[in-house]
Short mmCIF file of all heavy atoms in Angstrom, two decimals:
data_model
loop_
_atom_site.label_atom_id
_atom_site.label_comp_id
_atom_site.label_asym_id
_atom_site.label_seq_id
_atom_site.Cartn_x
_atom_site.Cartn_y
_atom_site.Cartn_z
N SER A 15 20.14 6.96 -0.82
CA SER A 15 19.75 5.71 -0.20
C SER A 15 18.74 5.99 0.87
O SER A 15 18.88 6.88 1.66
CB SER A 15 21.04 5.07 0.35
OG SER A 15 20.81 4.15 1.38
N ASN A 16 17.76 5.11 1.01
CA ASN A 16 16.74 5.25 2.06
C ASN A 16 17.09 4.28 3.17
O ASN A 16 17.54 3.18 2.96
CB ASN A 16 15.39 4.88 1.48
CG ASN A 16 14.94 5.94 0.57
OD1 ASN A 16 15.23 7.07 0.75
ND2 ASN A 16 14.19 5.49 -0.47
N SER A 17 16.79 4.64 4.40
CA SER A 17 16.96 3.76 5.53
C SER A 17 15.82 3.98 6.48
O SER A 17 15.07 4.89 6.32
CB SER A 17 18.36 3.98 6.21
OG SER A 17 18.40 5.28 6.73
N GLY A 18 15.72 3.09 7.47
CA GLY A 18 14.63 3.17 8.40
C GLY A 18 13.50 2.35 8.01
O GLY A 18 13.65 1.28 7.29
N SER A 19 12.31 2.57 8.62
CA SER A 19 11.14 1.75 8.24
C SER A 19 9.89 2.63 8.44
O SER A 19 9.94 3.80 8.84
CB SER A 19 11.05 0.57 9.33
OG SER A 19 10.83 1.10 10.61
N LEU A 20 8.75 2.09 7.91
CA LEU A 20 7.55 2.82 7.82
C LEU A 20 6.48 1.91 8.51
O LEU A 20 6.35 0.72 8.19
CB LEU A 20 7.15 3.04 6.41
CG LEU A 20 5.72 3.70 6.19
CD1 LEU A 20 5.67 5.09 6.77
CD2 LEU A 20 5.44 3.84 4.67
N SER A 21 5.67 2.52 9.43
CA SER A 21 4.59 1.84 10.06
C SER A 21 3.32 2.69 9.81
O SER A 21 3.27 3.90 9.89
CB SER A 21 4.75 1.72 11.57
OG SER A 21 5.84 0.94 11.85
N VAL A 22 2.19 1.96 9.38
CA VAL A 22 0.92 2.57 9.18
C VAL A 22 -0.07 1.88 10.17
O VAL A 22 -0.17 0.56 10.13
CB VAL A 22 0.50 2.46 7.70
CG1 VAL A 22 -0.90 3.04 7.50
CG2 VAL A 22 1.44 3.13 6.78
N ASN A 23 -0.78 2.65 10.94
CA ASN A 23 -1.73 2.01 11.90
C ASN A 23 -3.09 2.61 11.77
O ASN A 23 -3.26 3.88 11.74
CB ASN A 23 -1.21 2.32 13.33
CG ASN A 23 0.20 1.72 13.52
OD1 ASN A 23 0.29 0.54 13.47
ND2 ASN A 23 1.13 2.54 13.71
N ASN A 24 -4.07 1.83 11.69
CA ASN A 24 -5.56 2.24 11.72
C ASN A 24 -5.83 3.29 10.62
O ASN A 24 -6.38 4.37 11.03
CB ASN A 24 -5.89 2.71 13.14
CG ASN A 24 -5.67 1.63 14.08
OD1 ASN A 24 -6.05 0.46 13.94
ND2 ASN A 24 -4.94 2.02 15.16
N ALA A 25 -5.32 3.19 9.44
CA ALA A 25 -5.56 4.22 8.41
C ALA A 25 -6.52 3.66 7.28
O ALA A 25 -6.85 2.51 7.20
CB ALA A 25 -4.16 4.45 7.85
N MET A 26 -7.00 4.73 6.50
CA MET A 26 -7.86 4.39 5.41
C MET A 26 -7.15 4.96 4.19
O MET A 26 -6.84 6.14 4.11
CB MET A 26 -9.23 5.00 5.56
CG MET A 26 -10.06 5.15 4.30
SD MET A 26 -10.94 3.65 3.76
CE MET A 26 -12.26 3.70 4.92
N PHE A 27 -6.99 4.08 3.09
CA PHE A 27 -6.52 4.52 1.84
C PHE A 27 -7.57 4.27 0.76
O PHE A 27 -7.89 3.07 0.60
CB PHE A 27 -5.15 3.83 1.50
CG PHE A 27 -4.10 4.17 2.41
CD1 PHE A 27 -3.85 3.47 3.56
CD2 PHE A 27 -3.22 5.27 2.02
CE1 PHE A 27 -2.86 3.80 4.43
CE2 PHE A 27 -2.17 5.57 2.89
CZ PHE A 27 -1.93 4.85 4.05
N ARG A 28 -8.19 5.29 0.17
CA ARG A 28 -9.30 4.98 -0.68
C ARG A 28 -9.09 5.97 -1.93
O ARG A 28 -8.85 7.15 -1.83
CB ARG A 28 -10.56 5.40 0.01
CG ARG A 28 -11.83 5.09 -0.75
CD ARG A 28 -13.04 5.24 0.02
NE ARG A 28 -14.15 4.94 -0.81
CZ ARG A 28 -15.43 4.72 -0.33
NH1 ARG A 28 -15.57 4.78 1.00
NH2 ARG A 28 -16.38 4.38 -1.09
N ASP A 29 -9.41 5.32 -3.08
CA ASP A 29 -9.38 6.07 -4.38
C ASP A 29 -8.12 6.75 -4.73
O ASP A 29 -8.08 7.86 -5.29
CB ASP A 29 -10.54 7.08 -4.39
CG ASP A 29 -11.91 6.52 -4.21
OD1 ASP A 29 -12.09 5.38 -4.71
OD2 ASP A 29 -12.81 7.12 -3.51
N ASN A 30 -6.98 6.14 -4.40
CA ASN A 30 -5.67 6.58 -4.82
C ASN A 30 -5.18 5.93 -6.09
O ASN A 30 -5.63 4.82 -6.48
CB ASN A 30 -4.63 6.25 -3.69
CG ASN A 30 -5.05 7.00 -2.38
OD1 ASN A 30 -4.93 8.17 -2.37
ND2 ASN A 30 -5.48 6.25 -1.40
N GLN A 31 -4.29 6.63 -6.78
CA GLN A 31 -3.69 6.13 -8.04
C GLN A 31 -2.23 6.45 -8.12
O GLN A 31 -1.87 7.63 -7.83
CB GLN A 31 -4.52 6.77 -9.19
CG GLN A 31 -4.03 6.24 -10.54
CD GLN A 31 -4.94 6.81 -11.65
OE1 GLN A 31 -5.97 7.34 -11.49
NE2 GLN A 31 -4.42 6.54 -12.96
N ALA A 32 -1.44 5.53 -8.60
CA ALA A 32 0.01 5.71 -8.72
C ALA A 32 0.32 5.52 -10.18
O ALA A 32 -0.30 4.71 -10.89
CB ALA A 32 0.74 4.68 -7.84
N ALA A 33 1.37 6.22 -10.64
CA ALA A 33 1.79 6.14 -12.04
C ALA A 33 2.52 4.88 -12.32
O ALA A 33 2.52 4.40 -13.50
CB ALA A 33 2.68 7.37 -12.32
N GLN A 34 3.22 4.27 -11.28
CA GLN A 34 4.03 3.07 -11.56
C GLN A 34 3.76 1.92 -10.61
O GLN A 34 3.42 0.84 -11.05
CB GLN A 34 5.48 3.47 -11.55
CG GLN A 34 5.91 4.41 -12.61
CD GLN A 34 7.35 4.70 -12.51
OE1 GLN A 34 8.10 4.51 -11.59
NE2 GLN A 34 7.92 5.22 -13.67
N LYS A 35 3.89 2.12 -9.34
CA LYS A 35 3.79 0.95 -8.34
C LYS A 35 3.04 1.46 -7.10
O LYS A 35 3.15 2.64 -6.68
CB LYS A 35 5.19 0.53 -7.92
CG LYS A 35 6.07 0.00 -8.95
CD LYS A 35 7.36 -0.35 -8.34
CE LYS A 35 8.43 -0.80 -9.41
NZ LYS A 35 9.69 -1.15 -8.79
N GLY A 36 2.33 0.46 -6.50
CA GLY A 36 1.70 0.78 -5.26
C GLY A 36 0.64 1.89 -5.27
O GLY A 36 0.91 3.00 -5.18
N GLY A 37 -0.59 1.45 -5.60
CA GLY A 37 -1.69 2.38 -5.78
C GLY A 37 -1.86 3.29 -4.61
O GLY A 37 -2.22 4.38 -4.77
N ALA A 38 -1.65 2.80 -3.33
CA ALA A 38 -1.78 3.68 -2.20
C ALA A 38 -0.41 3.88 -1.52
O ALA A 38 -0.11 4.99 -1.11
CB ALA A 38 -2.73 2.93 -1.14
N ILE A 39 0.43 2.82 -1.41
CA ILE A 39 1.74 3.00 -0.84
C ILE A 39 2.78 2.27 -1.62
O ILE A 39 2.59 1.07 -1.99
CB ILE A 39 1.76 2.31 0.63
CG1 ILE A 39 0.82 3.08 1.50
CG2 ILE A 39 3.18 2.44 1.26
CD1 ILE A 39 0.66 2.33 2.86
N TYR A 40 3.98 2.87 -1.82
CA TYR A 40 5.16 2.22 -2.37
C TYR A 40 6.22 2.49 -1.33
O TYR A 40 6.50 3.68 -0.98
CB TYR A 40 5.61 2.75 -3.68
CG TYR A 40 6.86 2.15 -4.08
CD1 TYR A 40 6.98 0.82 -4.47
CD2 TYR A 40 8.10 2.89 -4.00
CE1 TYR A 40 8.29 0.31 -4.82
CE2 TYR A 40 9.24 2.38 -4.42
CZ TYR A 40 9.35 1.04 -4.76
OH TYR A 40 10.61 0.56 -5.02
N SER A 41 6.90 1.43 -0.91
CA SER A 41 7.96 1.69 0.09
C SER A 41 9.08 0.72 -0.31
O SER A 41 8.90 -0.51 -0.43
CB SER A 41 7.52 1.37 1.45
OG SER A 41 8.59 1.46 2.43
N ASP A 42 10.37 1.28 -0.36
CA ASP A 42 11.50 0.34 -0.53
C ASP A 42 12.21 0.02 0.75
O ASP A 42 13.29 -0.45 0.81
CB ASP A 42 12.41 0.86 -1.65
CG ASP A 42 13.01 2.27 -1.31
OD1 ASP A 42 12.69 2.78 -0.28
OD2 ASP A 42 13.83 2.79 -2.14
N THR A 43 11.66 0.53 1.91
CA THR A 43 12.12 0.19 3.23
C THR A 43 11.11 -0.69 3.93
O THR A 43 10.02 -0.80 3.43
CB THR A 43 12.34 1.41 4.05
OG1 THR A 43 11.11 2.08 4.27
CG2 THR A 43 13.34 2.44 3.42
N PRO A 44 11.49 -1.42 5.01
CA PRO A 44 10.50 -2.30 5.69
C PRO A 44 9.16 -1.50 6.01
O PRO A 44 9.24 -0.43 6.51
CB PRO A 44 11.19 -2.73 6.88
CG PRO A 44 12.67 -2.63 6.55
CD PRO A 44 12.79 -1.47 5.59
N LEU A 45 8.07 -2.13 5.65
CA LEU A 45 6.77 -1.56 5.90
C LEU A 45 5.85 -2.46 6.69
O LEU A 45 5.79 -3.64 6.45
CB LEU A 45 6.11 -1.25 4.50
CG LEU A 45 4.61 -0.93 4.54
CD1 LEU A 45 4.32 0.39 5.19
CD2 LEU A 45 4.04 -0.82 3.09
N THR A 46 5.27 -1.97 7.75
CA THR A 46 4.24 -2.76 8.53
C THR A 46 2.94 -1.93 8.46
O THR A 46 2.94 -0.75 8.78
CB THR A 46 4.77 -2.87 9.93
OG1 THR A 46 6.00 -3.55 10.01
CG2 THR A 46 3.77 -3.69 10.83
N VAL A 47 1.93 -2.64 8.10
CA VAL A 47 0.51 -2.12 8.07
C VAL A 47 -0.30 -2.80 9.05
O VAL A 47 -0.43 -4.03 8.97
CB VAL A 47 -0.04 -2.10 6.69
CG1 VAL A 47 -1.37 -1.60 6.61
CG2 VAL A 47 0.86 -1.50 5.69
N ASN A 48 -0.89 -2.07 9.97
CA ASN A 48 -1.72 -2.66 11.03
C ASN A 48 -3.12 -2.10 10.93
O ASN A 48 -3.33 -0.91 10.99
CB ASN A 48 -1.17 -2.35 12.45
CG ASN A 48 0.20 -2.93 12.63
OD1 ASN A 48 0.47 -4.13 12.51
ND2 ASN A 48 1.22 -2.06 12.96
N ASN A 49 -4.10 -3.05 10.80
CA ASN A 49 -5.55 -2.75 10.92
C ASN A 49 -5.91 -1.48 10.11
O ASN A 49 -6.60 -0.63 10.53
CB ASN A 49 -5.89 -2.52 12.38
CG ASN A 49 -5.62 -3.70 13.30
OD1 ASN A 49 -5.91 -4.81 12.86
ND2 ASN A 49 -4.99 -3.42 14.38
N SER A 50 -5.59 -1.61 8.80
CA SER A 50 -5.87 -0.39 7.93
C SER A 50 -6.74 -0.97 6.76
O SER A 50 -6.78 -2.15 6.40
CB SER A 50 -4.60 0.15 7.41
OG SER A 50 -3.84 0.72 8.48
N THR A 51 -7.39 -0.05 6.08
CA THR A 51 -8.33 -0.38 5.00
C THR A 51 -7.77 0.24 3.70
O THR A 51 -7.34 1.42 3.61
CB THR A 51 -9.71 0.22 5.26
OG1 THR A 51 -10.24 -0.33 6.54
CG2 THR A 51 -10.68 -0.03 4.20
N PHE A 52 -7.77 -0.61 2.68
CA PHE A 52 -7.34 -0.19 1.29
C PHE A 52 -8.51 -0.46 0.35
O PHE A 52 -8.85 -1.59 0.12
CB PHE A 52 -6.11 -0.98 0.84
CG PHE A 52 -4.95 -0.61 1.67
CD1 PHE A 52 -4.73 -1.17 2.94
CD2 PHE A 52 -4.00 0.28 1.26
CE1 PHE A 52 -3.61 -0.93 3.71
CE2 PHE A 52 -2.84 0.62 1.98
CZ PHE A 52 -2.72 0.03 3.20
N MET A 53 -9.13 0.56 -0.21
CA MET A 53 -10.24 0.40 -1.12
C MET A 53 -10.10 1.19 -2.35
O MET A 53 -9.71 2.41 -2.32
CB MET A 53 -11.52 0.89 -0.38
CG MET A 53 -11.96 0.00 0.74
SD MET A 53 -13.45 0.57 1.61
CE MET A 53 -14.56 0.12 0.28
N ASN A 54 -10.27 0.55 -3.54
CA ASN A 54 -10.32 1.20 -4.86
C ASN A 54 -9.07 2.03 -5.19
O ASN A 54 -9.15 3.13 -5.67
CB ASN A 54 -11.59 2.19 -4.92
CG ASN A 54 -11.87 2.53 -6.38
OD1 ASN A 54 -11.72 1.61 -7.29
ND2 ASN A 54 -12.29 3.66 -6.63
N ASN A 55 -7.92 1.42 -4.85
CA ASN A 55 -6.60 2.05 -5.23
C ASN A 55 -6.16 1.34 -6.52
O ASN A 55 -6.52 0.17 -6.74
CB ASN A 55 -5.67 1.81 -4.06
CG ASN A 55 -6.11 2.48 -2.81
OD1 ASN A 55 -6.16 3.67 -2.75
ND2 ASN A 55 -6.55 1.66 -1.83
N ARG A 56 -5.39 2.06 -7.33
CA ARG A 56 -4.97 1.36 -8.64
C ARG A 56 -3.66 1.99 -9.16
O ARG A 56 -3.21 3.01 -8.77
CB ARG A 56 -6.08 1.62 -9.64
CG ARG A 56 -6.38 3.07 -9.91
CD ARG A 56 -7.70 3.14 -10.72
NE ARG A 56 -8.16 4.54 -10.87
CZ ARG A 56 -8.71 5.26 -9.91
NH1 ARG A 56 -8.99 4.76 -8.67
NH2 ARG A 56 -9.09 6.49 -10.14
N THR A 57 -3.06 1.10 -10.00
CA THR A 57 -1.73 1.42 -10.65
C THR A 57 -1.64 0.53 -11.83
O THR A 57 -2.20 -0.61 -11.95
CB THR A 57 -0.60 1.27 -9.65
OG1 THR A 57 0.65 1.64 -10.33
CG2 THR A 57 -0.46 -0.23 -9.27
N PRO A 58 -1.02 1.08 -12.94
CA PRO A 58 -0.80 0.21 -14.05
C PRO A 58 0.42 -0.79 -13.88
O PRO A 58 0.61 -1.67 -14.63
CB PRO A 58 -0.43 1.20 -15.16
CG PRO A 58 0.15 2.36 -14.48
CD PRO A 58 -0.54 2.45 -13.15
N GLY A 59 1.18 -0.56 -12.78
CA GLY A 59 2.34 -1.43 -12.50
C GLY A 59 1.97 -2.48 -11.50
O GLY A 59 0.86 -3.09 -11.45
N ASP A 60 2.89 -2.71 -10.53
CA ASP A 60 2.74 -3.72 -9.46
C ASP A 60 2.03 -3.11 -8.21
O ASP A 60 2.25 -2.00 -7.84
CB ASP A 60 4.07 -4.23 -9.08
CG ASP A 60 4.80 -4.98 -10.17
OD1 ASP A 60 4.10 -5.64 -10.99
OD2 ASP A 60 6.00 -4.91 -10.24
N GLY A 61 1.24 -3.96 -7.53
CA GLY A 61 0.67 -3.57 -6.22
C GLY A 61 -0.47 -2.66 -6.32
O GLY A 61 -0.29 -1.47 -6.09
N GLY A 62 -1.65 -3.09 -6.49
CA GLY A 62 -2.88 -2.31 -6.53
C GLY A 62 -3.02 -1.45 -5.32
O GLY A 62 -3.41 -0.32 -5.40
N ALA A 63 -2.70 -1.98 -4.11
CA ALA A 63 -2.80 -1.29 -2.90
C ALA A 63 -1.45 -0.90 -2.32
O ALA A 63 -1.15 0.19 -2.05
CB ALA A 63 -3.61 -2.13 -1.82
N ILE A 64 -0.56 -1.88 -2.24
CA ILE A 64 0.81 -1.79 -1.68
C ILE A 64 1.86 -2.41 -2.62
O ILE A 64 1.57 -3.57 -3.03
CB ILE A 64 0.81 -2.38 -0.28
CG1 ILE A 64 -0.18 -1.80 0.64
CG2 ILE A 64 2.25 -2.29 0.28
CD1 ILE A 64 -0.31 -2.62 2.01
N ALA A 65 2.89 -1.77 -2.75
CA ALA A 65 4.14 -2.40 -3.38
C ALA A 65 5.32 -2.09 -2.47
O ALA A 65 5.47 -1.07 -2.02
CB ALA A 65 4.29 -1.86 -4.78
N GLY A 66 6.11 -3.19 -2.35
CA GLY A 66 7.34 -3.01 -1.67
C GLY A 66 7.98 -4.38 -1.46
O GLY A 66 7.45 -5.44 -1.79
N ASN A 67 9.21 -4.35 -1.03
CA ASN A 67 9.98 -5.61 -0.89
C ASN A 67 9.86 -6.34 0.47
O ASN A 67 9.94 -7.53 0.49
CB ASN A 67 11.50 -5.36 -1.08
CG ASN A 67 11.84 -4.89 -2.50
OD1 ASN A 67 11.16 -5.27 -3.40
ND2 ASN A 67 12.79 -3.96 -2.67
N ARG A 68 9.56 -5.58 1.52
CA ARG A 68 9.51 -6.13 2.78
C ARG A 68 8.24 -5.61 3.51
O ARG A 68 8.31 -4.60 4.25
CB ARG A 68 10.72 -5.92 3.64
CG ARG A 68 11.98 -6.56 3.06
CD ARG A 68 13.17 -6.08 3.70
NE ARG A 68 13.39 -4.72 3.18
CZ ARG A 68 14.46 -3.98 3.43
NH1 ARG A 68 15.35 -4.39 4.18
NH2 ARG A 68 14.53 -2.69 2.91
N VAL A 69 7.11 -6.25 3.24
CA VAL A 69 5.83 -5.68 3.66
C VAL A 69 5.20 -6.76 4.63
O VAL A 69 5.12 -7.93 4.27
CB VAL A 69 4.81 -5.51 2.52
CG1 VAL A 69 3.45 -5.00 3.03
CG2 VAL A 69 5.39 -4.40 1.54
N THR A 70 4.70 -6.29 5.78
CA THR A 70 3.95 -7.12 6.68
C THR A 70 2.65 -6.41 6.98
O THR A 70 2.54 -5.26 7.26
CB THR A 70 4.78 -7.17 8.13
OG1 THR A 70 5.99 -7.70 7.82
CG2 THR A 70 3.97 -8.09 9.06
N VAL A 71 1.60 -7.26 6.89
CA VAL A 71 0.20 -6.68 7.07
C VAL A 71 -0.39 -7.51 8.21
O VAL A 71 -0.47 -8.75 8.17
CB VAL A 71 -0.64 -6.88 5.84
CG1 VAL A 71 -2.06 -6.38 6.13
CG2 VAL A 71 -0.08 -5.99 4.66
N ASN A 72 -0.91 -6.78 9.23
CA ASN A 72 -1.65 -7.40 10.38
C ASN A 72 -2.97 -6.92 10.43
O ASN A 72 -3.21 -5.73 10.82
CB ASN A 72 -0.81 -7.05 11.71
CG ASN A 72 0.59 -7.57 11.68
OD1 ASN A 72 0.84 -8.72 11.53
ND2 ASN A 72 1.54 -6.63 11.81
N GLY A 73 -3.94 -7.71 10.04
CA GLY A 73 -5.29 -7.24 10.05
C GLY A 73 -5.68 -6.23 8.93
O GLY A 73 -4.70 -5.89 8.15
N GLY A 74 -6.91 -5.88 8.86
CA GLY A 74 -7.22 -4.81 7.88
C GLY A 74 -8.16 -5.40 6.75
O GLY A 74 -8.47 -6.60 6.79
N THR A 75 -8.44 -4.47 5.85
CA THR A 75 -9.40 -4.88 4.77
C THR A 75 -8.82 -4.39 3.41
O THR A 75 -8.41 -3.29 3.34
CB THR A 75 -10.78 -4.23 5.00
OG1 THR A 75 -11.32 -4.62 6.17
CG2 THR A 75 -11.69 -4.52 3.84
N PHE A 76 -8.89 -5.26 2.40
CA PHE A 76 -8.51 -4.86 1.04
C PHE A 76 -9.63 -5.24 0.12
O PHE A 76 -10.13 -6.34 0.12
CB PHE A 76 -7.28 -5.71 0.61
CG PHE A 76 -6.01 -5.37 1.32
CD1 PHE A 76 -5.80 -5.84 2.59
CD2 PHE A 76 -5.10 -4.52 0.76
CE1 PHE A 76 -4.59 -5.49 3.29
CE2 PHE A 76 -3.92 -4.20 1.38
CZ PHE A 76 -3.69 -4.67 2.65
N ALA A 77 -10.13 -4.15 -0.63
CA ALA A 77 -11.28 -4.35 -1.52
C ALA A 77 -11.16 -3.58 -2.74
O ALA A 77 -10.72 -2.27 -2.70
CB ALA A 77 -12.60 -4.04 -0.79
N GLU A 78 -11.37 -4.12 -3.91
CA GLU A 78 -11.49 -3.40 -5.21
C GLU A 78 -10.19 -2.66 -5.57
O GLU A 78 -10.26 -1.62 -6.20
CB GLU A 78 -12.72 -2.48 -5.24
CG GLU A 78 -13.94 -3.33 -5.02
CD GLU A 78 -15.22 -2.37 -5.00
OE1 GLU A 78 -15.16 -1.28 -5.50
OE2 GLU A 78 -16.19 -2.85 -4.42
N ASN A 79 -9.03 -3.11 -5.22
CA ASN A 79 -7.69 -2.59 -5.59
C ASN A 79 -7.41 -3.26 -6.90
O ASN A 79 -7.63 -4.47 -7.15
CB ASN A 79 -6.73 -2.81 -4.53
CG ASN A 79 -7.13 -2.12 -3.26
OD1 ASN A 79 -7.10 -0.89 -3.21
ND2 ASN A 79 -7.46 -2.93 -2.27
N SER A 80 -6.63 -2.53 -7.85
CA SER A 80 -6.26 -3.23 -9.08
C SER A 80 -4.84 -2.78 -9.54
O SER A 80 -4.41 -1.64 -9.26
CB SER A 80 -7.19 -2.92 -10.21
OG SER A 80 -7.31 -1.48 -10.45
N ALA A 81 -4.15 -3.68 -10.19
CA ALA A 81 -2.79 -3.42 -10.68
C ALA A 81 -2.72 -4.04 -12.09
O ALA A 81 -3.38 -5.00 -12.48
CB ALA A 81 -1.73 -4.10 -9.86
N GLY A 82 -1.91 -3.45 -12.99
CA GLY A 82 -1.69 -3.95 -14.34
C GLY A 82 -0.82 -5.15 -14.41
O GLY A 82 -0.93 -5.99 -15.26
N ASN A 83 0.12 -5.31 -13.45
CA ASN A 83 0.98 -6.51 -13.49
C ASN A 83 0.69 -7.42 -12.34
O ASN A 83 0.25 -7.11 -11.29
CB ASN A 83 2.45 -6.05 -13.29
CG ASN A 83 2.91 -5.22 -14.51
OD1 ASN A 83 2.42 -5.51 -15.60
ND2 ASN A 83 3.83 -4.32 -14.37
#
């Protein structure tokens, strides 16, 4: 079982690929992303850039991310 939370601040995620979910990030714990950039991330599943159940995004840029679902 996972517990806790994840925070990402002022980060760049570019050209990442996931096999199932979340091209750049998959989190099953609370996730907060602040002022970060997600470019050209991909997955055949859910969430071209981010996949998770409890995600909060404050500012940032999302461009050219893709998901199969």
Side-chain angles (χ1 to χ4, degrees):
S15 155
N16 293 325
S17 62
S19 63
L20 173 63
S21 295
V22 176
N23 300 295
N24 304 309
M26 163 82 76
F27 293 88
R28 185 173 182 164
D29 299 325
N30 297 290
Q31 183 173 349
Q34 294 180 343
K35 298 179 186 176
I39 299 175
Y40 172 74
S41 178
D42 60 359
T43 62
L45 168 64
T46 302
V47 178
N48 298 306
N49 303 314
S50 295
T51 300
F52 294 82
M53 296 180 65
N54 197 37
N55 300 290
R56 59 193 173 280
T57 182
D60 297 326
I64 301 171
N67 293 328
R68 295 167 287 184
V69 177
T70 302
V71 176
N72 300 304
T75 302
F76 290 80
E78 301 178 22
N79 299 291
S80 62
N83 292 332

